[in-house]
Amino acid sequence: MDGDEPVGQDTARHGDPDPDMLIKYLPVPSSPLRASDLAYVLDAVAETGAQDVVLGLADRAEALLDTAVGFDHDLLLSTVTLLLARRGQVERAIALVDRIVPEWRAGRQAEIVGQLARYGDTGRAEALAYGITDRQAQTRALIEVVRELARRGDPERAEALAHSIAYRATRARALAVLAELSDPPRARRLAVQVMVLDDWPAALPLLERVAPRAVVTVADQADALLRDEA
């Protein structure tokens, strides 16, 4: 390496940049900095950056939101909101959701729930999911919590949450997601429950995976029924 070349440039060229060094090379707040550029930096430090560095960048992003417009504004707002949720700054993330146009807020709330669940705070994620007033967004959020509970090895809690969902179709989808991540005996039992909820499109792929003969039996019975009706 050329001795006069900055370390940050060499690191960026030969591998992933050191997240804690990125903030050093950012322009000072008074210099031009596009919101999309800062969104890129936030993505770069999201997983491995030190908490103080990440939150410092989030502070700068929130300040820049006051002057950003159009696509750059929307991109930065989305990025910093999800970053804050990922880092446990739920109240700040929710406050930023209020800056989103009303018709998009519920969807962003569901994304916050997903981030919380994926990064371990499933309890708070579940509570926030139930607070979402839009049914479709709430469905997405609850299913994400069920998925993460199952993925992290708490199938009992995941199943209890799935069964607590009031709407049959949503409950069936949540049980189907859980079945996909379960061992064969539990998956077969859950597939039956999905069928009982009258969600055959969700149940058949599960049965094909965990009980192939069941799919053949169902198909044969359906064919026989059609012949009888003819």
Side-chain angles (χ1 to χ4, degrees), residues 100-150:
I100 301 171
V101 292
E103 57 266 30
W104 292 352
R105 286 177 189 164
R108 190 57 48 79
Q109 289 168 344
E111 291 176 355
I112 290 174
V113 168
Q115 290 294 318
L116 282 174
R118 277 191 287 276
Y119 287 87
D121 197 347
T122 52
R124 188 181 294 187
E126 180 181 344
L128 286 175
Y130 279 117
I132 298 175
T133 55
D134 179 85
R135 179 175 169 182
Q136 185 175 6
Q138 186 188 73
T139 294
R140 285 168 44 206
L142 287 171
I143 288 174
E144 280 300 309
V145 178
V146 169
R147 186 192 314 278
E148 289 306 315
L149 284 170

Side-chain angles (χ1 to χ4, degrees), residues 22-230:
L22 286 172
I23 195 170
K24 177 180 178 181
Y25 294 101
L26 285 176
V28 295
S30 60
S31 65
L33 178 64
R34 292 181 54 192
S36 58
D37 296 330
L38 185 50
Y40 169 79
V41 174
L42 289 174
D43 278 338
V45 302
E47 295 291 341
T48 57
Q51 184 80 341
D52 59 337
V53 172
V54 172
L55 296 184
L57 288 170
D59 291 340
R60 188 175 297 187
E62 287 192 60
L64 192 57
L65 284 171
D66 294 331
T67 56
V69 295
F71 173 79
D72 278 359
H73 176 275
D74 295 341
L75 175 64
L76 183 58
L77 180 57
S78 173
T79 303
V80 70
T81 299
L82 297 180
L83 175 71
L84 288 169
R86 184 182 302 175
R87 289 302 182 119
Q89 304 291 304
V90 182
E91 290 74 17
R92 286 179 65 180
I94 292 174
L96 286 177
V97 170
D98 292 336
R99 303 174 68 163
I100 301 171
V101 292
E103 57 266 30
W104 292 352
R105 286 177 189 164
R108 190 57 48 79
Q109 289 168 344
E111 291 176 355
I112 290 174
V113 168
Q115 290 294 318
L116 282 174
R118 277 191 287 276
Y119 287 87
D121 197 347
T122 52
R124 188 181 294 187
E126 180 181 344
L128 286 175
Y130 279 117
I132 298 175
T133 55
D134 179 85
R135 179 175 169 182
Q136 185 175 6
Q138 186 188 73
T139 294
R140 285 168 44 206
L142 287 171
I143 288 174
E144 280 300 309
V145 178
V146 169
R147 186 192 314 278
E148 289 306 315
L149 284 170
R151 190 177 66 83
R152 290 173 173 276
D154 196 346
E156 298 296 335
R157 186 177 162 201
E159 186 170 349
L161 174 57
H163 279 296
S164 73
I165 298 172
Y167 298 106
R168 288 172 64 91
T170 305
R171 196 184 322 145
R173 287 177 58 192
L175 289 170
V177 166
L178 176 56
E180 288 286 351
L181 297 169
S182 297
D183 57 73
R186 181 185 292 270
R188 287 192 289 269
R189 178 171 58 79
L190 292 172
V192 172
Q193 295 178 23
V194 173
M195 285 188 292
V196 169
L197 291 169
D198 296 324
D199 197 344
W200 278 93
L204 285 176
L206 293 173
L207 287 173
E208 188 175 7
R209 180 173 67 86
V210 300
R213 289 299 308 166
V215 177
V216 175
T217 301
V218 169
D220 289 344
Q221 290 176 346
D223 184 58
L225 181 61
L226 289 174
R227 287 198 303 268
D228 291 342
E229 291 179 348

